[in-house]
Amino acid sequence: MSGTTTGAPERRARHDPVESEREILAAAEQLLRERPFREITVAAIMARTGLKRPAFYVHFADRYELVLRVVEEIGAALFEMADRWLKGSAPRADIRSAMHGVADVYSAHGRVMRALADAATSDARVEATYRALVQGFVDATAEHIEAEQATGEIAAELNAREIARALVWMNERYLYEALGGGSGEDPVRIADVLALIWLATLYP
């Protein structure tokens, strides 16, 4: 019959699982900029998305697993910047480039990193996740120092593991203080200070 529609009603398209996960991660990061981790609930996260609460558990077992993913996302961006030195061929210039890249990432995500660092002081699971991220940088830095000691680029008498530990944790605390609170400090100045210290320590 003309002007009529036959068949089943049009089915609503499924939400893209990848896009759903990204929405949830973005909502979690947004909340971490605004309040302590202990105050963040699954309900609060999902209220920031266009998704129903059950969608959360399609992607994450609980909010701790979600935090792990947030740390992984930001950690991957930080490692990408650090690789400018770790995988570079001009150590002195590469350290400056790496520090500027790390400071830029921290400038963009500093409030989140500060929230995670603060949560790590009172929550064992968050602490384990956060410290594993920092330890990853310590290990990569130590291995790179040892490799450059083998070629004579860095002095052999330096204790690679302890120097790496000191430098990386110095970065973490300085970036936390300078760029973690949304103070508007210049990331270029912060990066220049860090580069100066790393260069003076490794390539005097």
Side-chain angles (χ1 to χ4, degrees), residues 74-183:
I74 299 176
L78 289 169
F79 259 110
E80 184 178 348
M81 297 301 104
D83 277 345
R84 294 176 178 180
W85 173 62
L86 295 171
K87 297 182 179 180
S89 57
R92 290 161 183 81
D94 292 337
I95 274 192
R96 292 189 181 91
S97 178
M99 293 305 157
H100 280 270
V102 166
D104 285 343
V105 172
Y106 217 100
S107 182
H109 300 282
R111 284 186 181 273
V112 177
M113 295 302 290
R114 189 184 185 100
L116 294 170
D118 290 345
T121 64
S122 58
D123 189 286
R125 292 174 70 179
V126 178
E127 179 186 18
T129 298
Y130 188 77
R131 292 187 70 88
L133 171 65
V134 179
Q135 188 61 44
F137 283 99
V138 172
D139 292 341
T141 299
E143 290 168 8
H144 191 70
I145 292 173
E146 289 168 347
E148 292 205 332
Q149 285 176 319
T151 65
E153 189 72 49
I154 293 177
E157 62 267 21
L158 290 182
N159 184 324
R161 292 283 157 181
E162 289 305 307
I163 290 289
R165 180 184 174 197
L167 288 173
V168 171
W169 277 106
M170 174 201 68
N171 273 30
E172 189 273 346
R173 284 292 90 186
Y174 185 48
L175 291 166
Y176 172 100
E177 289 294 331
L179 300 176
S183 62

Side-chain angles (χ1 to χ4, degrees), residues 31-41 63 115 118-119:
L31 279 168
L32 284 166
R33 295 175 187 273
E34 301 170 6
R35 63 182 74 169
F37 173 72
R38 65 180 179 275
E39 296 179 7
I40 295 175
T41 64
R63 65 194 185 113
D118 290 345

